[in-house]
Each structure stands twice: as structure tokens, then as C-alpha cells.
Amino acid sequence: MKFRIKNTNLKKISSPCTVLGISKINKFSEKFNIFNKKTLNYINDIILKRNIIWEIGKITLLYDIPNIISNLILLVGCGKNKELNKKEFIRIISKVINFLYKNRIQNSCWFLTELPVKNLNIYWKIRIILEIIGDRLYFFNMFKTNKTNIFKIKKINFYINEKHNLKEAEISLKHSLSILKGKNIAKDLSNTPSNVCTPLYLAEKSKLLSEKYKSTITTKIFNANQIKELGMNAYFSVGKGSNNSSYMSIINYQKNLKSHEKLIVLIGKGVTFDSGGISIKPSKNMDEMKYDMSGAAAVYGAILFAAELNLPLNIMGIIAASENMPDGNSFRPGDVLKTLSGKTVEILDTDAEGRLILCDVLTYVEQFNPDIVIDIATLTGACVVALGNIASGVMSNNKNLVNDLIQSGKLTGDKIWELPLYSEYKKLLTSDIADFSNVGGRQASAISAALFLSFFTEKYKWAHLDIAGTAWTNSKKKESTGRPVSLLCQFLLNKSNFTI
Ligand code: BES
Ligand code: ZN
Ligand code: MN
């Protein structure tokens, strides 16, 4: 699929399908007026005859228009106001891409990037358009035998009227395509079933990144024995019951040679299958636990994004992969584990495994003196209950960091919402025999999970994203959403001081 920004003479457009916005007051695009004149007022006549044509998202097709090479014109309604809001714009773009897809139109040129939308400049309009198109056209076909019958859109050209918008549009397209790449690879990894996507598979994929981006990325892999030898007992214990043993991949992206100390660490929970272990889960919907590595997938996507754009940052991405299975060798409820930090944990539920993996990795990264550490995890069912599939949860020990993340979420539509880490909740995690327990009971369990992690993050600014409700959909179709790759990419863009 190819996307291009164009600024050519209208006369030369020979694309099979030209997409134009039309509003009631007809003042939206100058292009529209030029177009209309060229067609000897043909388009305007039709609009006058059919007065509903401008309703938001309404699509009308015109064929064989006089004086136009393009043999199909797609008019999309843009309402009756001078300016659209963001939601309306999203609706319009979604309708157009759906239509093109359903009607198998492979090539089109769009005049929608300069529709006036409240608070959105050309950069953001293109970002939004590409995000919608990317999500609509994504398919996971790794396991479909017949791949030839899948329809693909080949080319979309975006026409820019104003010359001065051209540069911003090009930058936006570049950013958008890199985000799309990161998001799609994250979706692919998450959608891949657990018999293929094992901890080793994730480690191999991490190695691939360093082969592809030789000048900026180096990857180091730790196998289960090495994880144990490092003293990461909690992490090691989670993978003990599985034949697919644990691997931790450290993906080091280095491009800010001036300030080594400004390290951003992204840690992804990579449980390739979470059966619950000895505290086994009910079998209904257990297949969805293949997505329990979505945090790791998002970290992978974000690093790929940074490398694609050569962002001037130092980022360490950690893929903390394990499989949680019941077995004679599994860790058990009642076990007490000594974490890498030296603190002890009583296991009261082997299904609270994510925090056990993460706590050791959080301690492990202390030695690199990170400026910021963000962990991304499908951590608790409670977060799904609290926030549904609209917002991911964010919990942190630093207000500025939370605000930065929330801001990135707002900009990208990849929303997050903060839950409080009041110290009063800590008592939920008390244990009779160890420093604390790994579960905090039914109440506020997204918070107690994050508080558990907070015991290991005292040395740096830290935020935790609980993406249990947002990482995949299970309504119409079970599929990874690629969240929160967009948010993370935006956060990294902001950190590299990119503003437009
Ligand atoms: N991976 C799950 C969380 C999860 C559950 C995500 C359902 C999405 C949908 C996690 O490892 C887990 O099992 N958490 C338990 C913790 C509990 C035992 C304290 C949970 O939330 O039920
Ligand atoms: Zn889990
Ligand atoms: Mn679990």
C-alpha cells in the first residue's frame, strides 16, 4: 500500500476515484468549487437536486462527469457547519475508507486533508487519517491458507492545496507510517497464538530488530538459567511450569550520544500464555490469554518506531517473556519467593504472575540509572471492570510523567486514565509470613497490583500502564488493537522535542 502527498494541477488527476468533501454551505474546499466549475456546474446541480448529500459521512458516487478524467467521484458529506470537530472528521474518514474497501476501489486521491477541523492542523489531520486507515486495513492472515482473496488497497494520494502545508504534510506522513509499522507489528505479535509466539519466539524477534537497525539497536537475550542466576527468582518462578522456558530480551536503542544519563526504559509484560498456573483460570475465553504479551508487543512496536525515525533518544526496551502453566514443576500458592530486590513475596495466587515478572525487571533496570521507567502490562481483570475497553489505566509515582502520558493519550486518541496509588491501599498486600503477598483481594485490585510494583520503583520516575481492557477486542472479532503503541510513539516524539 502506498500513500503520497501531492500538490499537482487538478487537470492532471487521472486517478480512478477522486474523493471530495461537500458541506451544506459548500464553502469547504476551494478545490470543490474549481472542480465544480470544470464540470460545468454538473456537481452543483446534483447537489441541489438531492439536498441530503451533505449530511456527515453520507456518500454519493458520481460517474461519467463531464470534463473530468477521473471516472468516479466520491462525494462525502461534511455537514452544515463551517468547521468540523474531531469526532466528525473521524466519522467522515472512516466512512470513506469503509466505502473504498467494500467497493474494492484500489486507487484513489483524496481532497480531505484540508477540510477545516477545529484545533487540528494538517499534521494532525494526516496522523488521524493514517491511523484510521491503518486500523481498517489491518488483517492477520498468517494462518489463512488462501491469502490471494484478500483485497488490498494499492494507493491513496492526498492532495494538498496550500503549498505551505506541503512540508508539514510530508513530516506527518513519515511519522504516521512509522507509527503504523510499529502498531502493525505489535498487532501481529499479539495475534500470533501461543504455540507459535513463545518466549523464545519473542526473543528471536527482538534479535531481528538489532539485525535490521544495526547502527542504533543492540539486543541482549537472557535465558531462564541466566534469569535465575541474576537472582530474578520471582520472574524465574513464573516460567517454571512451562516447556517453553522464559527469555528476557533487552533491546537497546541508542541515538542520543550526548546525554547517556537520559535513559527511557520501557518494560513489557510478555506472558505468551497465561493459564493462571496452579491457580488455573476458568476455561471460558482462556484462549484470550494469548494476548497476555501485548505489553511486550507494544514495547517492541515503540522501539521499532523510534528506530524507523532515528529519534534522538536512548531507549531500553525490555521484553519480559514467560509462559504461565500448571505442571509438577510449577510454583505454587503458598510458596515464598525472594525477589531480586531482596524483598520476599508470599504467593497466594499463581495467576497474579505479571507483577512477579515485572518486579524483578523493575529492580534489574535500577543499575542503568534510568530517567524514566514505564511498564506496560495486561495486568488485572479489575482494570477492565473499572475502565472497560476505552481507557487504559495509568498509575505512577510522578505527577509530571502521568501528565505527559495523559497528554500523549489525548493527542493520539489512545486514552488513559489515572487511578490513585494512595498508601492506605498498601495494607491490602500484607502477608503473614513474607514482606508482602502477591495479591490484594477483590477490592481495588488494579491499584494493589500497581502498588505491588511501586515497592520496586523507588529509585526513579515510574509509570505503569494497565492495558488489560484495551489491548484486544473480543466483541465482534477477537483481535489485537495495537494499543498503546500510538500513545508510546507520541510520548517518544514529545521527548525528542518534536512539536508542530
Ligand atoms: N493476565 C491477567 C489479567 C487479565 C485478565 C487481563 C483478564 C485481561 C483479562 C493477569 O495475569 C491476572 O490473571 N490477574 C488476576 C490477578 C488476581 C489473581 C489478583 C486478575 O486480574 O484476575
Ligand atoms: Zn497475566
Ligand atoms: Mn494471570
Side-chain angles (χ1 to χ4, degrees), residues 29 256 280 328 429 434:
S29 70
N256 182 0
I280 198 160
L429 292 163

Side-chain angles (χ1 to χ4, degrees), residues 348-411:
L348 291 181
D349 193 323
T350 62
D351 198 11
E353 85 296 343
R355 64 198 76 181
L356 297 171
I357 294 171
L358 292 173
C359 74
D360 275 346
V361 181
L362 287 164
T363 305
Y364 176 78
V365 301
E366 267 178 16
Q367 63 188 290
F368 307 111
N369 286 321
D371 184 34
I372 290 169
V373 178
I374 303 169
D375 77 75
I376 301 105
T378 45
L379 206 64
T380 65
C383 195
V384 192
V385 175
L387 301 172
N389 62 6
I390 307 299
S392 309
V394 61
M395 283 145 274
S396 170
N397 61 12
N398 185 283
K399 202 71 207 160
N400 288 336
L401 179 54
V402 174
N403 289 341
D404 285 354
L405 286 166
I406 289 176
Q407 172 70 2
S408 301
K410 276 189 185 157
L411 285 169

Side-chain angles (χ1 to χ4, degrees), residues 15-22 29 32 35 43 47 53 57-65 68 70-78 91-112 115 153 156:
S15 163
C17 177
T18 304
V19 184
L20 286 170
I22 168 82
S29 70
F32 175 81
F35 231 96
I43 300 184
I47 290 163
I53 211 165
K58 167 111 183 134
I59 284 179
T60 311
L61 272 186
L62 306 179
Y63 300 90
D64 302 326
I65 303 113
I68 296 281
S70 181
N71 53 16
L72 195 59
I73 290 197
L74 191 160
L75 291 179
V76 57
C78 294
R91 180 125 183 270
I92 288 164
I93 302 301
S94 308
K95 289 274 181 183
V96 170
I97 192 67
N98 260 332
F99 188 90
L100 294 177
Y101 185 80
K102 283 198 185 128
N103 292 282
R104 307 197 154 227
I105 299 173
Q106 288 186 316
N107 297 311
S108 56
C109 59
W110 296 27
F111 287 90
L112 304 177
L115 290 174
I153 286 189
I156 297 179

Side-chain angles (χ1 to χ4, degrees), residues 269 271 273-276 281 289 291-293 324 350-355 357 378-380:
K269 171 178 172 184
V271 174
F273 189 72
D274 180 13
S275 69
K281 286 181 183 293
M289 282 301 116
Y291 296 114
D292 210 19
M293 36 58 70
N324 188 17
T350 62
D351 198 11
E353 85 296 343
R355 64 198 76 181
I357 294 171
T378 45
L379 206 64
T380 65

Side-chain angles (χ1 to χ4, degrees), residues 41 53 106 191 201 242 274 368 372 443 477 492:
N41 258 341
I53 211 165
Q106 288 186 316
N191 286 326
Y201 180 88
S242 172
D274 180 13
F368 307 111
I372 290 169
Q443 286 186 18
K477 188 181 181 187
L492 295 175

